[in-house]
């Protein structure tokens, strides 16, 4: 895994075609995390680093036909797989780096990011960019279908104090980037950090 955009594209590009088949049972976990955002019909939401778009259908269901759903990813192959799976019917797919989103200031009600933080080249800058495109009071969900310890074990490594997803690191990182952490869950079967966009 890497936080360098070129290496991120290479890593996920090479695995895109088989990504969904590697994790076939994650759908309910995505839907449950989306539900915790409390989206309303008509809301505008971004799936940042959407990959193959597994969150797009539940996001569309939450905001309804009058809402806006955007899936942005830096890896073309992942977006191609999202389209192949028909998830482009749930939201617009955009090839974009979260460091430079082609979205207007304050236009979103929420941002959803699955497995996102560990792949950000500059977490503080990139989270500020997500804050820029989100209205004050809007929400951010940082999600993974398994917790930090389970994920570390899957990759054969140990958790470290420097893990950005640890609450003691994530809270100040978010606070310095325009967000306030409001809820934090790190269990074997789920990781979910919720934050609210602070007023300027």
């Amino acid at each position: 895994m890497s936080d360098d955009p070129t290496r991120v594209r290479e890593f996920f590009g090479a695995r895109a075609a088989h990504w969904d088949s590697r994790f076939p049972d994650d759908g309910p976990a995505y839907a449950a995390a989306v539900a915790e955002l409390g989206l309303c019909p008509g809301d505008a939401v971004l799936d940042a680093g959407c990959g193959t778009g597994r969150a797009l259908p539940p996001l569309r269901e939450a905001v309804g036909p009058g809402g806006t759903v955007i899936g942005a990813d830096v890896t073309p192959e992942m977006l191609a797989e999202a389209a192949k799976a028909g998830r482009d019917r749930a939201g617009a797919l955009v090839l974009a780096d979260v460091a430079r989103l082609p979205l207007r200031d304050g236009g979103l009600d929420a941002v959803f990011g699955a497995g996102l933080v560990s792949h950000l080249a500059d977490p503080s800058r990139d989270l500020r960019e997500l804050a820029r495109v989100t209205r004050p009071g809007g929400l951010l969900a940082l999600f993974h279908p398994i917790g930090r310890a389970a994920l570390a074990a899957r990759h054969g490594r140990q958790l470290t104090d420097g893990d950005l997803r640890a609450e003691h690191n994530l809270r100040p990182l978010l606070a310095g980037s325009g967000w306030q952490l409001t809820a934090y869950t790190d269990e074997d079967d789920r990781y979910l950090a919720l934050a609210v966009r602070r007023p300027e």
Side-chain angles (χ1 to χ4, degrees):
M1 296 295 186
S2 173
D3 58 8
D4 175 77
T6 300
R7 295 188 66 187
V8 167
R9 280 191 297 271
E10 291 172 352
F11 178 90
F12 286 105
R15 292 161 176 79
H18 305 290
W19 192 256
D20 283 355
S21 64
R22 290 180 62 198
F23 309 105
D25 303 320
D26 285 350
Y30 274 77
V34 167
E36 295 215 27
L37 273 172
L39 293 165
C40 299
D43 277 355
V45 59
L46 169 70
D47 184 0
C50 68
T52 60
R54 288 177 291 176
L56 297 179
L59 289 170
R60 170 56 65 194
E61 185 175 346
V63 303
T68 299
V69 178
I70 302 166
D73 202 277
V74 74
T75 306
E77 295 89 344
M78 282 292 203
L79 295 176
E81 290 300 317
K84 189 183 297 185
R87 295 175 185 139
D88 55 336
R89 295 191 295 272
L93 299 177
V94 179
L95 181 63
D97 189 330
V98 297
R100 295 174 302 280
L101 291 166
L103 301 172
R104 66 181 175 86
D105 292 1
L108 300 175
D109 297 290
V111 175
F112 184 86
L116 180 67
V117 172
S118 58
H119 299 299
L120 298 177
D122 185 333
S124 180
R125 176 202 66 195
D126 297 344
L127 288 166
R128 279 196 303 274
E129 175 68 353
L130 294 178
R132 178 189 68 79
V133 299
T134 305
R135 65 169 175 79
L139 298 176
L140 170 68
L142 299 174
F143 164 75
H144 200 284
I146 60 175
R148 293 188 311 119
L151 185 62
R154 176 187 285 175
H155 294 298
R157 57 179 173 76
Q158 298 291 319
L159 285 177
T160 67
D161 284 343
D163 184 348
L164 285 179
R165 295 161 300 169
E167 184 175 5
H168 67 271
N169 294 321
L170 186 63
R171 186 178 294 277
L173 173 63
L174 288 168
S177 306
W179 302 95
Q180 179 181 348
L181 186 67
T182 58
Y184 183 89
T185 303
D186 183 12
E187 301 168 343
D188 281 349
D189 60 353
R190 183 173 73 152
Y191 176 91
L192 183 64
L194 299 173
V196 64
R197 172 73 166 93
R198 296 201 319 264
E200 292 295 345

